[in-house]
Structure formats: structure tokens, C-alpha cells
Amino acid sequence: LQQTVSIEKEEFNLNIDLSENSKKLFIILLPIIFFLSGFSSLSYEILYNRILIYFTGNNTYCFTIIASIFIFGIFLGSFFYSIVRKRIKSPIFFLAISELIIGLWNIILPKYSDIINNLIVNIKNAIILNFFSLILIRIFSSILLIFLPVFVFGFVFPLIIDIFIAIKDYKKEKGVSLLYFFNTIGSVIGPLITGFILIHLFQVHFTLRIISLINIFIFIIISIFYILTNDLNKYKSFWL
């Protein structure tokens, strides 16, 4: 006698309170948002490598430290999102705020990096540092400069996927694959344009501000959509 046991898994979908027409419009916007998100995130990695050379040095340690912080920040951001995703009351507005944080941080990053650089110079002048102390200072300074935006990158990616799944209740697998496609294309085109064109024309710091405008543009587009399609009196905050 064979018994077939079926186990139903409880699925959790984000609460997306939109009309059908609004959902169709946002489905069109999501690939564009995901493309721009991929474009900006990998462009930032190129720019961070150039900026943090002043802190880590132009050697193997430089690229190792930056790449490790970048990946680890994304990991922690994704892990954070997995914990709080059920508490997000308004995921679309949460996405907009996340993009704004990334954009604003990278606008102020050049000035902030000057402050950190002066602090490190004062430390070096005050005490004699051995090799390991110098490495620790390089790691800590890099974390202070880029950890916040890469942490936000980490939960923006799964958040967009969750929003898409919550809105599109059919052909989810095909749609998610298409989103990955747009994100990957953006991740390829962004570094190429940034590395070969923008940095050559505008230098590193001004290019950083140009790329940060992409995130602010995403914030503006999502905010306009959110305001036009929601009764704002229903939401005192985007956090439950």
C-alpha cells in the first residue's frame, strides 16, 4: 500500500494594493527600473575601485578589499530583506526610498571621502602603523565609504522580484527570467559606458554624481507612480 503525502507550502506575497491598470503600468516600468538598477550598481563598483585607491592603494589588496566589501554588503542586504520582508507595508514606496538613499549617498561620497582621508592621514602622522594595522584601517575606511549603498543594493534586488511576483499572478517564471535579462544587460552596459566614456569625459567624482542621478530618477518615477495610484491617507508609513 502506497500513500501519497502532499505538503502544501505556504507562499508569502507582498501586499501590492493597486488597480489592474496600475499593475499593468508598473509591470512595464519594472524592467526599466531593473535595467537602470543593474546599470548603476556595477557602474558604482567601477567608480568605487577608482575612489578607494587613495585609501587602499593601487595593488592586489585594493581590489580584494573592495570586492569583498561589495559582495558582503550585498549578502547582508539580501539577508536583512529576508528577515523584514513580511513587515513591509508599502513595498513600492520602500523601493523608492531605497533608490533615493543610494543616490544621495553617492552624491555626498566625494566630500565624505575627503573627510575620511584627512582622518587617516592624521592617524598615520600620529602613530607608527605596522602592515596589519594599515590593512585594518584600509578595510575600515572602505566600509565607512561604501557599505551603506551596497547594503541597500542587496535588498533592492529581491524586493523588485517580490514586487513583480505579487503583481503578476501568471507566467511568473518567464517574467522573472525577463527581469534578470534586463538587469544583466544593464550590469554589462553600465560598466562599459562608465569605464570607457564617462570617466574619460568627466573624471571620477563627477561621473559618480551622474550615475547617482539614475537612482534619484528611479526614485522620482516610482514616487510619482505611487502618489498617482494610491490613497496616501491609508499609509502613515511604508513600514508595518
Side-chain angles (χ1 to χ4, degrees):
L1 180 64
Q2 293 182 343
Q3 292 182 341
T4 303
V5 179
S6 61
I7 301 175
E8 294 185 0
K9 292 184 179 180
E10 181 183 355
E11 285 192 12
F12 171 78
N13 287 332
L14 295 177
N15 178 32
I16 308 293
D17 188 13
L18 295 175
S19 67
E20 288 303 316
N21 289 333
S22 298
K23 287 182 179 180
K24 291 177 181 178
L25 175 59
F26 203 68
I27 285 293
I28 296 173
L29 288 176
L30 272 179
I32 300 172
I33 292 170
F34 224 20
F35 171 84
L36 294 175
S37 179
F39 185 103
S40 64
S41 61
L42 269 294
S43 297
Y44 284 133
E45 186 172 8
I46 299 296
L47 293 165
Y48 292 160
N49 273 287
R50 295 295 298 273
I51 291 172
L52 294 180
I53 282 176
Y54 300 107
F55 299 89
T56 59
N58 190 13
N59 50 41
T60 305
Y61 300 113
C62 167
F63 299 107
T64 302
I65 291 170
I66 296 169
S68 299
I69 294 173
F70 201 90
I71 300 301
F72 187 65
I74 290 175
F75 157 73
L76 287 182
S78 300
F79 181 72
F80 170 78
Y81 176 75
S82 70
I83 296 173
V84 304
R85 63 192 292 261
K86 294 184 179 181
R87 299 179 60 192
I88 299 175
K89 186 173 183 179
S90 180
I92 293 176
F93 189 59
F94 190 78
L95 175 60
I97 294 299
S98 300
E99 295 290 344
L100 180 64
I101 291 172
I102 295 170
L104 292 180
W105 182 268
N106 287 290
I107 286 176
I108 68 170
L109 183 59
K111 290 292 183 184
Y112 181 46
S113 65
D114 289 340
I115 295 173
I116 300 298
N117 185 47
N118 291 334
L119 179 62
I120 292 173
V121 169
N122 291 334
I123 292 174
K124 288 180 178 179
N125 292 334
I127 58 177
I128 299 175
L129 299 173
N130 58 33
F131 175 78
F132 293 105
S133 299
L134 189 59
I135 290 294
L136 287 176
I137 288 178
R138 288 173 173 178
I139 293 173
F140 185 66
S141 61
S142 299
I143 290 173
L144 288 177
L145 290 170
I146 69 171
F147 181 78
L148 177 62
V150 297
F151 178 81
V152 178
F153 291 152
F155 61 75
V156 163
F157 189 90
L159 174 60
I160 293 177
I161 297 296
D162 266 359
I163 291 173
F164 176 84
I165 292 174
I167 292 176
K168 194 175 179 66
D169 55 0
Y170 63 95
K171 296 183 179 178
K172 294 178 183 177
E173 294 81 4
K174 182 179 179 181
V176 169
S177 299
L178 191 61
L179 283 182
Y180 274 100
F181 168 78
F182 279 103
N183 185 258
T184 303
I185 291 296
S187 299
V188 171
I189 295 175
L192 289 175
I193 292 178
T194 299
F196 286 99
I197 300 175
L198 294 180
I199 292 178
H200 177 71
L201 293 176
F202 303 110
Q203 303 303 315
V204 174
H205 286 177
F206 193 74
T207 299
L208 183 67
R209 292 188 173 98
I210 292 174
I211 300 299
S212 68
L213 292 178
I214 294 175
N215 299 100
I216 294 175
F217 173 74
I218 296 174
F219 163 74
I220 293 172
I221 293 298
I222 297 176
S223 298
I224 291 173
F225 174 86
Y226 184 83
I227 292 169
L228 294 178
T229 58
N230 282 277
D231 178 10
L232 297 185
N233 292 325
K234 292 189 299 182
Y235 302 110
K236 293 183 180 179
S237 71
F238 55 81
W239 191 262
L240 181 61

